[in-house]
Amino acid sequence: MPSFQPLPGFVDLLPEDAARMRHLEETARTLFERCGYREIRPPLVEDAALFERTSGATSDIVQKQMFSIPSRDDAGAFVLRPEGTPGVFRAYLEAGYAKTNPFQKFFYLGPMFRYERPQKGRQRQFHQIGIEAIGSPDPHLDAEIVYLGYRFYEAVGLRQVTVLLNSIGCAACRPAYLQTLRNALTASLDTLCALCRDRFGRNVLRILDCKNAPCTQAVAQAPRIADSLCDDCRSHDRAFRIALKAGLPISEAPRLVRGLDYYTRTVFEYHHPGLGARSAVGAGGRYDGLGERLGGSAIPAVGFAIGVEATLLALEAEGKLPEPGGAGGIFVVYVDRDCRTDAYRLTEGLRNAGVTADLDHMGRSLKSQMKAADARGAHEIWILGPDEISAGTVKIKRLSDGSEKTLPVVEAISHASRAPADAPR
Ligand code: HAM
């Protein structure tokens, strides 16, 4: 027999894992909708050129991490989306919002795909929960979004998240800084790691972000991008910081530049000490140039993406991983096999009345059925034997206190349907 396992970097999310993930997604949904964000679901497959133009042809994502899908009809190169931002922006343009209703606040949840070396916290299929607010240059929006991300981590129970902040300028002021940076790094070019020597020519900004010792040493002496902002970027940054909620655990990160090319002005990352070297549980920033990169007009935008797996690892590190609850509800058990059909009908009757209910499908003994009910976290066990069936009754055992009572079936179902489906009765 061949053994079929998931491919490296792909993970089976079993019901326990899915329940934990759903808990994060539901928390995000509630929080984001409260702030006026609406869910959007762009496709998982897009044209590769979308990411080359936006995430950046020289970014790691585009150079090394895209999963491409051969197209059967010469329709170009397709890829599984490595991130959500370009697809959401494309959908915004496609829907005509730029003309009809230019300010839109979106959120999205779902899988992303990056061809990375699988390791703890890094998968090839992983999940993000993201926000994109498109159409406004307002620095208060940057503040709203940075705070909203932090509120999410707080709401799921994390207490050790810090926010790293920087501003990386715009198309007006960045080119001069890039030249200053090149000049400053020229003398130490030979000491840089191979990747950064390559970046020197094609994407010098990313050298600021390198974690290799010779590169961090070379960069330590280099001028900071925040010191070469133009007046507009400087006043945007000032207004953003004034608006930002007081008391956030902020850490200034003058070397933070992010690995995607579309960012302008505000960039930020959320970090957690429980994650080791790659400690970002989420990240984002402003990207006012994306519309132009896609061949349209300048449309200001800002957003972030939360790494779901990273957030779960952080929760685990803080000992706060949500414990998936049992199914709750009612478990119907039959005293002997002849009562199975009546037990099945009773279960369907409960379900049709809006009550969470289940029964054994393995032909188990009464004792094993009782154990199964307990293991599933049922609140009540409804017992059907020949005596109950001939009397039209059911024996109800409440698991919280072990109390028992016998009721006519019709009355029992009607009573169960009036109480909230999963509430302990
Ligand atoms: P990003 O920094 O590439 O940003 O990803 C955001 C988060 O996704 C990371 O902080 C990390 O927690 C998680 N993540 C990334 N790659 C993996 C992986 N291979 N396995 C597990 N988790 C991973 C973006 O994706 C931007 N689109 C964020 C954004 C939205 N900027 C503006 N709007």
Side-chain angles (χ1 to χ4, degrees):
M1 262 291 268
S3 85
F4 291 107
Q5 293 166 344
L7 296 167
F10 291 82
V11 174
D12 292 318
L13 292 172
L14 301 178
E16 295 74 19
D17 308 310
R20 291 195 178 103
M21 201 168 272
R22 205 170 65 198
H23 171 66
L24 300 194
E25 289 171 354
E26 279 165 7
T27 305
R29 192 181 290 280
T30 307
L31 212 53
F32 297 171
E33 284 179 346
R34 196 184 295 156
C35 301
Y37 293 81
R38 299 185 302 149
E39 185 172 0
I40 185 165
R41 299 190 186 197
L44 270 58
V45 175
E46 298 270 7
D47 193 323
L50 175 69
F51 298 100
E52 283 155 15
R53 293 252 203 116
T54 56
S55 314
T58 62
S59 66
D60 289 352
I61 285 190
V62 169
Q63 290 226 317
K64 299 186 278 192
Q65 298 178 344
M66 294 226 279
F67 273 95
S68 42
I69 305 171
S71 93
R72 288 173 187 239
D73 51 7
D74 266 350
F78 301 155
V79 290
L80 294 176
R81 63 180 187 187
E83 56 150 336
T85 311
V88 171
F89 201 90
R90 187 202 46 67
Y92 166 95
L93 293 176
E94 185 64 22
Y97 286 126
K99 292 196 187 77
T100 56
N101 200 354
F103 184 53
Q104 293 291 328
K105 303 212 284 189
F106 301 114
F107 74 91
Y108 52 93
L109 321 159
M112 306 290 159
F113 303 85
R114 295 187 192 175
Y115 208 102
E116 299 209 49
R117 194 166 63 79
Q119 51 188 296
K120 194 169 180 227
R122 290 280 136 175
Q123 293 167 195
R124 290 180 171 172
Q125 178 179 335
F126 62 100
H127 296 77
Q128 285 187 341
I129 303 177
I131 283 278
E132 313 293 348
I134 305 178
S136 166
D138 185 1
H140 295 88
L141 190 58
D142 304 34
E144 171 177 307
I145 285 185
V146 170
Y147 181 50
L148 185 52
Y150 185 76
R151 282 278 298 115
F152 166 81
Y153 296 114
E154 221 179 30
V156 296
L158 289 175
R159 294 292 172 267
Q160 297 170 21
V161 171
T162 49
V163 188
L164 270 56
L165 279 187
N166 196 17
S167 173
I168 60 168
C170 67
C173 52
R174 201 181 306 154
Y177 174 74
L178 297 184
Q179 196 48 54
T180 311
L181 185 60
R182 261 191 215 101
N183 295 343
L185 292 177
T186 302
S188 38
L189 186 54
D190 291 344
T191 68
L192 302 181
C193 72
L195 181 59
C196 284
R197 283 202 299 276
D198 182 41
R199 283 169 169 165
F200 186 83
R202 58 180 174 83
N203 194 349
V204 66
L205 203 59
R206 290 281 284 133
I207 300 179
L208 293 181
D209 224 11
C210 183
K211 305 286 181 287
N212 289 327
C215 308
T216 51
Q217 272 162 24
V219 149
Q221 309 306 323
R224 294 153 32 125
I225 193 164
D227 295 332
S228 58
L229 300 182
C230 59
D231 288 348
D232 285 350
C233 285
R234 204 180 299 279
S235 69
H236 181 95
D237 195 47
R238 199 174 305 121
F240 156 63
R241 281 156 191 276
I242 290 170
L244 202 55
K245 169 126 175 103
L248 278 190
I250 283 170
S251 179
E252 290 302 330
R255 312 284 176 216
L256 178 68
V257 293
R258 309 275 303 120
L260 299 155
D261 287 1
Y262 46 64
Y263 290 111
T264 52
R265 298 188 169 167
T266 314
V267 287
F268 54 93
E269 289 186 352
Y270 302 101
H271 281 248
H272 191 277
L275 259 64
R278 290 176 92 170
S279 58
V281 285
R286 179 162 276 285
Y287 49 99
D288 294 344
L290 206 67
E292 285 158 317
R293 278 173 178 263
L294 289 178
S297 55
I299 300 173
V302 51
F304 65 65
I306 288 158
V308 172
E309 285 79 3
T311 303
L312 289 169
L313 280 176
L315 282 165
E316 195 179 358
E318 286 197 30
K320 297 199 181 116
L321 206 54
E323 273 316 314
I330 293 169
F331 202 80
V332 178
V333 305
Y334 44 86
V335 172
D336 61 51
R337 292 173 70 88
D338 293 344
C339 308
R340 277 172 93 176
T341 305
D342 291 272
Y344 168 69
R345 292 217 174 99
L346 174 57
T347 308
E348 291 293 19
L350 280 165
R351 292 168 177 168
N352 290 340
V355 180
T356 301
D358 206 356
L359 82 166
D360 168 67
H361 286 293
M362 299 294 286
R364 281 189 267 231
S365 69
L366 181 59
K367 199 170 153 202
S368 303
Q369 290 179 65
M370 299 289 234
K371 271 198 197 148
D374 207 28
R376 294 170 58 107
H379 295 133
E380 288 179 2
I381 299 179
W382 286 24
I383 304 159
L384 268 191
D387 293 348
E388 284 80 15
I389 290 169
S390 56
T393 59
V394 58
K395 192 198 276 182
I396 298 174
K397 181 172 176 178
R398 198 159 60 186
L399 285 168
S400 55
D401 57 8
S403 64
E404 287 185 9
K405 63 185 170 193
T406 298
L407 287 179
V409 166
V410 177
E411 189 185 321
I413 293 182
S414 143
H415 180 251
S417 72
R418 271 182 272 118
D422 285 335
R425 272 179 283 273

